[in-house]
Amino acid sequence: MTPHIQSIIHPAGIEAARISHLWWVMFGICAFVWFAVAAATLIAIRRGRHAASAATDRQASFAVASAGVVSVIALVALLTQSVVTGRALDSIRTPDALRIQVTGNQWWWDVQYENPTPSLRVTTANEIHLPIGRPVAIDLLSNDVIHSFWIPSLQGKIDLIPGRLNEIWLQADKPGVYRGQCAEYCGAQHAKMAMVVVAEPPDDFERWLAANRASAPVPVTPEQERGKQVVERGPCAMCHTITGTLAGGHSAPDLTHIASRSSLAAGSLPNSPGYLAGWITDPQHIKPGNHMPPTGLNADELQAVLTYLETLK
Amino acid sequence: MSRLRQGLGGLGPAHSVALDVSELPTYGFGHRSLLWWATASMMIIEGMVFAMVIVSYLYLKGRVPHWPPSGPGPDLIWGTLNTIILLASCVPNALAKKAAERMDLAKVRLWLAVCLVFALAFNGVRALEFTALNVRWDTNAYGSIVWLALGFHTVHVVTDFLDSSVLTALIFVGPIEERRFVDVSENALYWYFVVLTWLPMYAVIYLGPRIA
Amino acid sequence: MTAHREAHPRLTENDPRLDADALERERRLLERTWAGGRGVIAWLSEVDHKAIGRRFIVTAFAFFALAGVLAALMRIQLARPENHFLSPDAYNQIFTMHGTTMMFLFAVPVVLAMGIYLVPLMIGARAMAFPRMLAYGYWMFLFGGIFLYVMFALNIGPDNGWFSYPPLAGPAYSYGKRGDVWAQLITFTEVSGLVVATCLVCTIFKLRTPGMSLNRMPLFVWAMLITSFMVIFAMPSIVISSTCLILDRLVATQFFNQAEGGDPLLWQHLFWFFGHPEVYIIFLPALGMMSEIISTAARRKVVGYMEMILSMTATAFIGFGVWVHHMFATGLPQFGVSFFTASSIMIVIPTAIQIFNWIATIWTARRLQITVPFLYAASFFFVFIVGGLTGVMLASVPLDRQVHDTYFVVAHFHYVLIGGSTFPLLGAIYFWFPKITGRMMGDRLGRISFWLLFAGFNLTFFPMHLLGLDGMPRRVYTYPGAMGWQGLNLLASAGALVIFVSLLVYLVNVAVSLRAGAVAGDNPWGAATLEWATSSPPPPYNFTPQPTVASREPLWHSELRPPAIVGLRPDDREVLVTYLLDAEPDHRYSMPGPSLWPFLAAIATSVMFVWSIFQAQGVVWGSIPVFITLVGWFWPTKGKARLERGVTGRLTARESVS
């Protein structure tokens, strides 16, 4: 990962850029105020030590009132900048936005690309792909506790509250890989509830979308077939879904295209066979308290499962 | 302050002018007494709690299309009867307060005893109110807030009864001094508070489900 | 309604009761009347506001130390990415305990405690109103804190953050007793706070010495008055919300369960309606301390007395109208939310006015003394203001939606709370230490610990602004190494070490000074207010004779020679009750003496509170001992009654009030 992929002041989209601009304006004014007050304090201390001021209390009160007026003006300037930014942020709304639905769970993100045609919908987890230059509207739900959806490079955060539907609008303008993270304390593994955000040119995005619409490929080798059997008959199928197989659980991330994702365990681990093996064997070691139990697979079963999962691109 | 100012200025060393307070009384009624201010603070505190309960009730009501979400609202009979009893109890309460401010021990004893009879009555009817709510506290948020509202006021009704009982016992048994009459006067204030806070609670609990 | 002021106090010149011999005789009688006694029972029966104030301060600082240790553990864990010093569960309990301890067991109790100690002295009274209730408030605070830490030690400490949001904190996602422990701790501390606030309001309104009309009250007393009103109006909200949380968890009410018509946001509204005034409760007394310290160092009255009072009042009022700024990320409608942006920006103005008035006071000082307390007060202008300005940033909804729940907010609130309350508090302890103990704190150690704290604090918390801007969220037990956050985190952890050293030096200063500090006279700083008109430490009865005042800075205007009070009985704990507005003498009131009942009532209440989170019927059965102790407490003793009769003669109706 490169640094600043989760930074408010390194925006990669128009909404975050507007907020970043607001930040710099506010920072500038506030820094000036701080220096002015600090200077006034130091000067006052110097004068006070030498009893050097002949100002009357009336003059002092006038000075205070003047400073008060200046403060009000500065505050109004800050308020105005904030209101202007707020209005600009709202202007992104448009009827032909890409619509995604994200559902928060302890401690992973369910991601669904909406479409009026059911067969064109895409379900994935912990990873979001976005076409650059197109407004995106994300509906936000929660299955359990309050979470918060936050991709700093692209937009401010908004909470996922059980029983409520919230909506966030954003747009990616710079291609790249960014990181989002849950920003409302949601229990034991709040720290490891992240997501990978890939902003790519529209063609690449459509290709990705199309690839993800497909069901899981049929196993070719016997080892792959064996792995599929373990997944379907073992504990995995109770929670996970792999479309095209008997695994149809809904309380854990969809694994249909797990091999094409760049991270595991909601952004906690790189997606490579070694890490995947460690995760499947003992998820409690990596994310203590998360809802995935140790799977109890022996070495052969584990190897078979890994081989099968590798095919799920 | 004019009386004090007369004593100032050029009168010799510090502290040679004395302000003699030895003939002042040792008690005061109403806002002159410390106890009044403590009672007033307590009324604001409890009043804020009642206000928060009412605000929460209205908030939850605004979140759903039907209120109550299921089933009928509370039966009106016991709640309305109790409202009448509570309001009526203000009469012996007022008489006890006035007697206390006159320091008329005999009348204080009489009216406090009458107040206790009313307190027994409204505590008893309050128990019946709980049975007529037509919802359990754990059924839904509506049930929860109705039980909370009624329950919170009941805590006041019960403590009012208990502390009035102790005060009545004290007034009969003694020892009596002026400050005990101030206690009776302040207790009467608290009694009014318990009755007055019931009125918005009654409106919310019993009329809330009946108003669109 | 007219009050008959029949009996007037009399002014007499050259009154023999003010002769040196007469005063000495009276002093001896008063010592006996007001003495606390020795032994364990006497210690448990203590009702002297100074003793209770000292206990409150020491206990609050003990909790401060515990919360500091917890913070140190957090900083060790976060010094390196993917660290395994603390398990996730341990970390989550620790950050919850740190916040809960600091907010409920340190920050509020300690500022109320300064008021408990100082207010009666500053207003020229012999005691605080309702001394037994005050003692009860202390015991409830102590027992609540002990309860919390015992549960923590048993691994059932709370772990959902200091604001405990449902549904996470509700019955479905937080098993066991942890959440109930948190909610009941709140009940303990709220009872304590409300009781103390009531005592303060009654004392300030009714026990001011004659001459101290409202517009002659010291600014610290105004600050404590306004703070007490905030406590009274704000704390009921969290009483209700924590009760609802316990009910949801224990008896299946549905207040915060959206599946049955409840709403998680109801919790947030109720909590923050309390939670925001809470931070002003912590902040306002420090503003009062600032005024006293600065005015003494500058050797002149604070510029703009009226403006200061209006500013504190405005801050308190507006403080009740900003709570939704904690909820900007919840998706509330924009129209409603923008009101709170406006109010959250507006609340800056009165504090700014106060800051300018202090700077003007320093500017026009008559030879400013840069004492150690002044250093702490001056640091406010550099530290608090950073937090105040980041607060303005947080008031903006778009910016808040980026930095909310990140380390930027952690930086913000530590700058305002520590810069705005803790720095002035440490200066205030140094300033009033001679009055409380009779000895001065060491100057050299004082300066060393100040500069270490200033440096350490900024080293710890300034980097957190940058971490927040770089995307690091709050309440995370670890972070990935590839984010590039470890440098700033290490810096923050190093700063925490410096803070630790600075506080250690401060503690050493206190310990050494208690034994070997320079003996302090009545008024070592040359200050203006009445607490400096009596000995250091004051006698149990505070003053004899009780002084009256004729100006706002009585000790700087002794030429006015206001009269002294005579005629309060030395053989009874008599105080002078005055009228609210102009402090004219009204009546004499006999204060209760030492009593074990507050302690016993606190024990009974604590048993009821703890029992009721394990069994619902604990509320009913547990209330019986509470009732018994309260009856014992309020039942008058015969001795007092005889006394009363002797003083007033027959029972007559001399006063009437409509």
Side-chain angles (χ1 to χ4, degrees):
Chain A
M1 286 187 258
T2 54
H4 304 313
I5 59 173
Q6 198 169 314
S7 168
I8 292 167
I9 48 179
H10 290 82
I14 177 73
E15 301 285 80
R18 287 171 173 142
I19 300 176
S20 181
H21 174 74
L22 173 64
W23 153 255
W24 287 114
V25 169
M26 292 190 111
F27 174 71
I29 297 178
C30 291
F32 175 76
V33 168
W34 188 88
F35 278 107
V37 175
T41 306
L42 290 170
I43 297 172
I45 291 177
R46 192 134 177 278
R47 294 208 156 204
R49 281 182 76 185
H50 304 299
S53 172
T56 63
D57 273 13
R58 239 169 116 228
Q59 289 169 320
S61 287
F62 181 76
V64 166
S66 311
V69 168
V70 171
S71 308
V72 170
I73 294 173
L75 289 172
V76 168
L78 291 167
L79 180 61
T80 307
Q81 189 66 33
S82 172
V83 169
V84 164
T85 306
R87 291 248 171 88
L89 287 167
D90 278 342
S91 65
I92 190 181
R93 288 162 194 265
T94 167
D96 63 340
L98 172 68
R99 291 209 78 97
I100 303 177
Q101 181 185 88
V102 170
T103 305
N105 299 275
Q106 280 179 319
W107 293 277
W108 59 279
W109 306 93
D110 177 82
V111 180
Q112 297 198 26
Y113 287 77
E114 299 175 21
N115 197 299
T117 315
S119 58
L120 297 178
R121 292 178 192 153
V122 168
T123 301
T124 181
N126 302 321
E127 188 165 301
I128 299 180
H129 285 240
L130 300 170
I132 55 177
R134 186 173 167 203
V136 177
I138 307 182
D139 288 328
L140 299 160
L141 300 162
S142 170
N143 269 339
D144 41 35
V145 300
I146 300 178
H147 301 273
S148 197
F149 181 86
W150 188 38
I151 309 170
S153 310
L154 298 181
Q155 174 59 293
K157 64 183 64 69
I158 190 158
D159 291 349
L160 292 77
I161 302 171
R164 282 175 189 255
L165 174 66
N166 274 338
E167 185 187 66
I168 189 170
W169 284 79
L170 47 80
Q171 179 175 308
D173 293 304
K174 261 193 258 173
V177 178
Y178 308 103
R179 193 169 182 267
Q181 194 169 352
C182 177
E184 181 62 60
Y185 181 68
C186 52
Q189 286 299 331
H190 164 67
K192 293 195 173 180
M193 187 172 161
M195 66 187 108
V196 174
V197 180
V198 177
E200 50 198 357
D203 294 336
D204 292 348
F205 171 73
E206 290 300 332
R207 261 195 296 279
W208 177 85
L209 213 53
N212 272 269
R213 287 187 182 117
S215 297
V218 177
V220 172
T221 72
E223 181 78 342
Q224 290 169 6
E225 176 61 37
R226 176 126 193 286
K228 176 166 173 275
Q229 301 281 329
V230 174
V231 166
E232 283 176 333
R233 292 176 194 168
C236 318
M238 291 181 53
C239 301
H240 291 282
T241 293
I242 301 177
T243 49
T245 72
L246 295 175
H250 289 290
S251 53
D254 186 295
L255 298 181
T256 314
H257 300 279
I258 177 77
S260 66
R261 299 216 275 261
S262 53
S263 77
L264 299 173
S268 311
L269 299 170
N271 188 357
S272 74
Y275 282 111
L276 186 54
W279 173 253
I280 294 175
T281 312
D282 189 3
Q284 294 298 316
H285 178 71
I286 294 163
K287 270 174 96 165
N290 93 85
H291 295 313
M292 178 162 161
T295 44
L297 302 178
N298 63 41
D300 286 333
E301 290 167 327
L302 179 63
Q303 191 51 49
V305 167
L306 288 172
T307 312
Y308 173 62
L309 292 178
E310 254 170 58
T311 71
L312 301 178
K313 293 216 191 301
Chain B
M1 273 308 298
S2 54
R3 287 186 60 85
L4 288 178
R5 278 201 203 99
Q6 281 164 24
L8 302 174
L11 283 176
H15 296 329
S16 68
V17 182
L19 186 61
D20 186 347
V21 299
S22 56
E23 289 182 16
L24 292 176
T26 57
Y27 61 94
F29 281 97
H31 68 84
R32 293 171 59 189
S33 84
L34 286 168
L35 189 58
W36 187 94
W37 287 94
T39 310
S41 300
M42 211 218 49
M43 294 198 301
I44 299 177
I45 292 167
E46 299 302 305
M48 281 301 287
V49 181
F50 279 115
M52 289 291 141
V53 170
I54 292 175
V55 162
S56 302
Y57 181 101
L58 296 171
Y59 179 91
L60 290 170
K61 181 168 193 263
R63 299 269 312 147
V64 292
H66 301 291
W67 188 265
S70 57
D75 297 336
L76 283 176
I77 169 96
W78 295 121
T80 311
L81 177 64
N82 221 4
T83 307
I84 296 170
I85 299 176
L86 278 163
L87 286 170
S89 76
C90 289
V91 172
N93 188 50
L95 291 168
K97 186 170 198 282
K98 285 210 159 58
E101 281 153 18
R102 288 191 319 263
M103 293 204 243
D104 182 343
L105 187 58
K107 283 278 174 0
V108 165
R109 284 176 171 161
L110 169 67
W111 293 119
L112 274 182
V114 173
C115 280
L116 278 188
V117 171
F118 274 88
L120 269 169
F122 59 61
N123 272 278
V125 177
R126 175 55 56 86
L128 293 169
E129 279 185 76
F130 275 103
T131 67
L133 285 177
N134 296 323
V135 70
R136 276 169 58 104
W137 66 91
D138 56 358
T139 308
N140 46 34
Y142 161 76
S144 303
I145 192 71
V146 166
W147 274 76
L148 183 74
L150 192 60
F152 187 64
H153 188 264
T154 305
V155 169
H156 285 75
V157 151
V158 168
T159 53
D160 199 16
F161 171 63
L162 289 174
D163 74 61
S164 302
S165 307
V166 173
L167 186 60
T168 308
L170 179 55
I171 284 288
F172 275 92
V173 166
I176 309 291
E177 63 265 17
E178 284 94 335
R179 279 159 54 148
R180 298 286 81 79
F181 291 102
V182 178
D183 292 343
V184 174
S185 175
E186 296 314 313
N187 188 64
L189 207 60
Y190 178 59
W191 190 290
Y192 284 136
F193 174 76
V194 171
V195 174
L196 284 172
T197 49
W198 172 243
L199 298 177
M201 294 309 258
Y202 172 80
V204 157
I205 295 170
Y206 289 95
L207 305 180
R210 296 172 162 87
I211 298 172
Chain C
M1 170 164 92
T2 47
H4 294 215
R5 303 187 186 194
E6 279 183 13
H8 287 296
R10 290 173 302 130
L11 277 172
T12 54
E13 294 178 25
N14 296 318
D15 195 304
R17 283 172 290 188
L18 292 177
D19 289 345
D21 295 327
L23 284 178
E24 184 53 41
R25 274 197 303 277
E26 186 169 84
R27 246 172 240 135
R28 269 190 246 120
L29 283 170
L30 284 169
E31 285 277 357
R32 253 188 307 173
T33 308
W34 289 84
R38 289 170 189 258
V40 173
I41 300 290
W43 192 85
L44 294 173
S45 310
E46 183 66 75
V47 292
D48 176 7
H49 75 96
K50 298 182 292 299
I52 294 176
R54 285 194 308 266
R55 279 182 208 179
F56 246 109
I57 293 171
V58 169
T59 308
F61 271 101
F63 285 120
F64 179 65
L66 284 171
V69 167
L70 295 171
L73 294 174
M74 287 160 63
R75 285 315 322 165
I76 294 174
Q77 165 67 9
L78 293 175
R80 284 184 11 227
E82 300 286 1
N83 208 354
H84 294 287
F85 175 68
L86 294 173
S87 72
D89 185 55
Y91 185 90
N92 294 337
Q93 282 191 69
I94 286 172
F95 84 70
T96 302
M97 290 291 293
H98 169 79
T100 303
T101 304
M102 283 297 191
M103 294 300 281
F104 294 109
L105 296 173
F106 169 66
V108 170
V110 83
V111 295
L112 292 181
M114 295 299 283
I116 292 170
Y117 190 95
L118 291 170
V119 163
L121 288 163
M122 282 185 172
I123 64 173
R126 283 211 162 133
M128 178 88 98
F130 306 111
R132 290 177 301 185
M133 193 163 77
L134 188 68
Y136 176 78
Y138 171 73
W139 296 119
M140 289 304 287
F141 159 58
L142 176 68
F143 295 158
I146 291 176
F147 162 67
L148 178 70
Y149 274 85
V150 166
M151 292 293 138
F152 177 53
L154 295 174
N155 202 30
I156 35 175
D159 60 351
N160 287 317
W162 86 278
F163 39 83
S164 194
Y165 280 359
L168 179 64
Y173 299 101
S174 267
Y175 313 120
K177 289 296 154 203
R178 290 177 168 188
D180 308 301
V181 168
W182 181 87
Q184 205 64 303
L185 181 271
I186 301 301
T187 315
F188 276 99
T189 54
E190 302 320 303
V191 167
S192 172
L194 286 166
V195 144
V196 170
T198 304
C199 288
L200 280 167
V201 168
C202 295
T203 304
I204 295 172
F205 273 171
K206 297 300 293 174
L207 293 182
R208 297 193 319 276
T209 197
M212 192 177 285
S213 46
L214 285 175
N215 68 342
R216 286 199 186 137
M217 269 178 11
L219 286 170
F220 178 73
V221 177
W222 271 107
M224 293 313 302
L225 178 68
I226 297 168
T227 302
S228 301
F229 272 107
M230 282 201 284
V231 168
I232 286 170
F233 279 97
M235 285 194 178
S237 189
I238 198 176
V239 166
I240 273 294
S241 55
S242 62
T243 302
C244 289
L245 183 64
I246 295 184
L247 290 173
D248 264 19
R249 291 174 59 87
L250 295 185
V251 296
T253 51
Q254 308 290 340
F255 293 107
F256 309 120
N257 178 10
Q258 76 289 345
E260 295 290 354
D263 189 1
L265 287 191
L266 176 62
W267 167 269
Q268 295 192 27
H269 282 297
L270 289 174
F271 181 87
W272 288 114
F273 185 79
F274 150 81
H276 197 87
E278 160 93 337
V279 307
Y280 287 104
I281 290 168
I282 294 171
F283 180 52
L284 234 69
L287 299 179
M289 295 173 205
M290 289 279 290
S291 288
E292 303 304 332
I293 294 172
I294 289 178
S295 132
T296 303
R299 310 215 220 200
R300 56 148 299 154
K301 64 181 184 183
V302 171
V303 170
Y305 177 85
M306 216 34 209
E307 288 85 337
M308 295 298 244
I309 296 169
L310 289 173
S311 294
M312 288 193 286
T313 309
T315 306
F317 268 102
I318 304 176
F320 277 89
V322 301
W323 83 91
V324 175
H325 69 220
H326 299 272
M327 298 165 65
F328 280 164
T330 56
L332 292 174
Q334 208 173 14
F335 177 67
V337 137
S338 43
F339 167 82
F340 291 93
T341 295
S343 59
S344 305
I345 288 187
M346 215 166 68
I347 201 169
V348 171
I349 299 168
T351 306
I353 297 290
Q354 289 202 271
I355 290 172
F356 301 143
N357 273 306
W358 284 321
I359 294 179
T361 308
I362 296 170
W363 195 296
T364 55
R366 314 198 198 307
R367 290 198 77 78
L368 177 73
Q369 312 250 278
I370 307 207
T371 57
V372 171
F374 180 77
L375 284 175
Y376 280 103
S379 68
F380 177 102
F381 301 105
F382 299 89
V383 179
F384 168 79
I385 292 187
V386 173
L389 292 168
T390 54
V392 176
M393 295 177 181
L394 291 167
S396 155
V397 174
L399 187 49
D400 182 74
R401 285 185 50 187
Q402 278 282 38
V403 292
H404 171 69
D405 244 301
T406 68
Y407 265 82
F408 189 90
V409 176
V410 176
H412 160 73
F413 65 69
H414 283 93
Y415 267 86
V416 283
L417 285 174
I418 298 183
S421 188
T422 307
F423 270 93
L425 173 74
L426 292 172
I429 297 281
Y430 194 102
F431 185 67
W432 276 291
F433 189 88
K435 180 54 54 182
I436 299 175
T437 66
R439 292 185 182 266
M440 306 293 291
M441 279 177 73
D443 186 75
R444 226 163 131 243
L445 282 180
R447 284 170 203 272
I448 292 173
S449 80
F450 166 75
W451 287 111
L452 278 175
L453 183 64
F454 189 82
F457 170 82
N458 282 296
L459 192 59
T460 307
F461 292 102
F462 198 84
M464 293 187 184
H465 293 110
L466 305 171
L467 281 170
L469 289 171
D470 208 38
M472 184 172 175
R474 280 175 81 166
R475 302 165 145 199
V476 290
Y477 70 88
T478 191
Y479 53 92
M483 295 310 296
W485 295 336
Q486 59 265 44
L488 291 171
N489 269 294
L490 190 59
L491 209 57
S493 299
L497 186 59
V498 177
I499 294 179
F500 175 74
V501 171
S502 87
L503 294 172
L504 205 59
V505 172
Y506 194 100
L507 189 62
V508 165
N509 196 357
V510 168
V512 166
S513 306
L514 277 173
R515 301 220 169 190
V519 171
D522 290 0
N523 192 2
W525 305 108
T529 43
L530 277 184
E531 76 272 25
W532 303 103
T534 186
S535 59
S536 303
Y541 45 88
N542 289 349
F543 301 96
T544 194
Q546 179 171 325
T548 65
V549 300
S551 84
R552 265 177 217 159
E553 296 84 28
L555 270 63
W556 289 347
H557 295 286
S558 51
E559 75 280 2
L560 293 173
R561 299 198 218 291
I565 302 288
V566 298
L568 290 173
R569 293 181 68 110
D571 57 345
D572 187 30
R573 292 184 173 225
E574 248 184 23
V575 299
L576 183 63
V577 179
T578 56
Y579 285 93
L580 170 56
L581 289 176
D582 55 12
E584 285 263 4
D586 178 2
H587 63 273
R588 294 170 294 129
Y589 186 81
S590 179
M591 283 287 177
S595 164
L596 199 54
W597 289 112
F599 175 76
L600 296 173
I603 298 266
T605 316
S606 305
V607 166
M608 179 177 99
F609 283 175
V610 176
W611 187 355
S612 58
I613 67 170
F614 290 95
Q615 292 185 316
Q617 65 256 38
V619 177
V620 176
W621 300 119
S623 63
I624 294 176
V626 174
F627 177 70
I628 294 171
T629 53
L630 290 177
V631 172
W633 177 336
F634 288 108
W635 200 273
T637 55
K638 288 212 164 51
K640 274 271 198 235
R642 261 201 304 264
L643 204 62
E644 287 286 326
R645 221 171 274 217
V647 166
T648 61
R650 287 183 309 113
L651 298 179
T652 54
R654 287 198 293 150
E655 303 292 316
S656 64
V657 166
S658 63

